Amino acid sequence: MPTKRGPPDPARLDRIVADARRARELRESTYREQALKLYPWICGRCTREFDRANVQQLTVHHKDHDHDNNPPDGSNWELLCVYCHDNEHSRELEAAARRGSADGDTTQSAKHRPFADLAKLLKEGGNR
Ligand SMILES: [Zn+2]
Ligand SMILES: [Zn+2]
């Protein structure tokens, strides 16, 4: 009797990965279809209008950035053209970077007392 244990079958792993990818694509195309049915084909930022010929440039943005949060009433979706969608996310990344490096009140004190903060940073750097 052959044992079931042994090295993992790479073909099986490939299938699992392919299945996961298909499931994600299916889910994405599903919420995209729903959003396109629910909302007029207009970019929520630049108000550019879309039709069948160029609707592939209209994307579904998740307002809370959670792609798994897809309420059927569409309250987490916003239709954005690819350009505005890109913009939206790079703005969010910049904001997150600022928040991440700020660590509380550093941003504020940097605004009000840039040199005091700089001195502190230099001192900390020198001590290391
Ligand atoms: Zn736009
Ligand atoms: Zn988005």
Side-chain angles (χ1 to χ4, degrees):
M1 282 287 277
T3 170
K4 289 202 170 175
R5 262 171 284 169
D9 178 2
R12 207 178 85 88
L13 287 177
D14 277 356
R15 243 189 339 265
I16 291 172
V17 171
D19 279 353
R21 192 178 301 144
R22 234 193 327 272
R24 199 191 62 203
E25 276 166 10
L26 185 71
R27 193 187 61 193
E28 282 176 5
S29 69
T30 305
Y31 71 60
R32 181 179 155 82
E33 256 166 46
Q34 287 175 332
L36 289 176
K37 262 183 227 159
L38 213 59
Y39 292 111
W41 293 2
I42 297 171
C43 172
R45 290 287 181 281
C46 66
T47 68
R48 186 176 154 200
E49 290 182 36
F50 291 82
D51 57 32
R52 274 175 197 287
N54 59 3
V55 70
Q56 69 273 8
Q57 290 174 45
L58 191 62
T59 59
V60 181
H61 171 60
H62 289 75
K63 290 181 184 177
D64 70 354
H65 293 243
D66 180 358
H67 287 210
D68 291 316
N69 183 13
N70 294 300
D73 67 352
S75 55
N76 193 35
W77 299 329
E78 193 173 18
L79 294 182
L80 296 179
C81 76
V82 286
Y83 307 106
C84 294
H85 199 169
D86 239 40
N87 240 311
E88 184 70 21
H89 280 263
S90 49
R91 249 213 327 260
E92 185 63 28
L93 284 177
E94 280 165 26
R98 272 197 298 275
R99 273 199 303 274
S101 64
D103 201 30
D105 62 343
T106 313
T107 317
Q108 287 223 333
S109 57
K111 261 184 211 152
H112 298 306
R113 305 178 291 116
F115 298 114
D117 215 59
L118 184 66
K120 200 185 105 197
L121 286 173
L122 286 173
K123 201 177 140 219
E124 276 171 4
N127 281 345
R128 265 157 217 247

